[in-house]
Amino acid sequence: ERDAWQQERSMLQNALKQAEAQLAKVTAETGNKPVGETSSLKLQRLYRKYLRAESFRKALVYQKKYLLLLLGGFQDCEQATLALIARMGIYPSAAALQPAGARPVARFRCAARAVIAVSR
């Protein structure tokens, strides 16, 4: 009877060691996180990234609108100034009306910078 008990005990100890080894293997694979929580955390992280990107886009839209309004205001001021000068009887020459950086290289640089700003 004692021998049967010893054999059963050794068999149960071996089974326990095998179960512990399998448990350690499975826990190492999952990284101590249940599968449902892992996907939920990934979804939350992606949603936060989406919200951050959307916030940046909205900020850029507002900045663009502000800059367009600002440039429109400068254009109105320039036209008003030219109208005032014309009423005074002094007409600016054609060279004075052209922008200072009218060279082809300067135009290209301006266009390139505008494209880069719009793409950002």
Side-chain angles (χ1 to χ4, degrees):
E1 196 175 307
R2 188 174 186 153
D3 287 336
W5 183 77
Q6 288 285 343
Q7 286 178 350
E8 186 179 347
R9 181 177 173 211
S10 64
M11 283 176 34
L12 289 174
Q13 283 179 344
N14 286 338
L16 178 64
K17 286 180 185 176
Q18 287 177 354
E20 286 176 348
Q22 287 178 351
L23 178 64
K25 182 181 174 185
V26 169
T27 356
E29 287 177 0
T30 60
N32 294 330
K33 295 178 185 174
V35 177
E37 289 182 18
T38 305
S39 63
S40 175
L41 291 174
K42 286 182 181 178
L43 284 175
Q44 287 177 353
R45 192 176 314 125
L46 283 174
Y47 185 66
R48 278 187 251 132
K49 276 186 171 181
Y50 164 76
L51 286 179
R52 196 174 312 124
E54 191 65 25
S55 172
F56 286 141
R57 279 191 211 104
K58 286 181 181 178
L60 285 174
V61 167
Y62 290 131
Q63 288 175 2
K64 182 180 175 183
K65 287 181 181 178
Y66 171 74
L67 289 174
L68 286 173
L69 286 172
L70 194 65
L71 287 174
F74 283 133
Q75 185 179 8
D76 292 341
C77 285
E78 184 180 359
Q79 288 175 351
T81 305
L82 288 175
L84 179 65
I85 291 173
R87 271 188 269 139
M88 292 172 56
I90 304 169
Y91 296 100
S93 65
L97 290 176
Q98 288 184 347
R103 297 184 316 209
V105 175
R107 282 188 199 163
F108 175 76
R109 286 182 186 154
C110 285
R113 287 181 185 140
V115 168
I116 291 170
V118 168
S119 70
R120 287 182 181 168

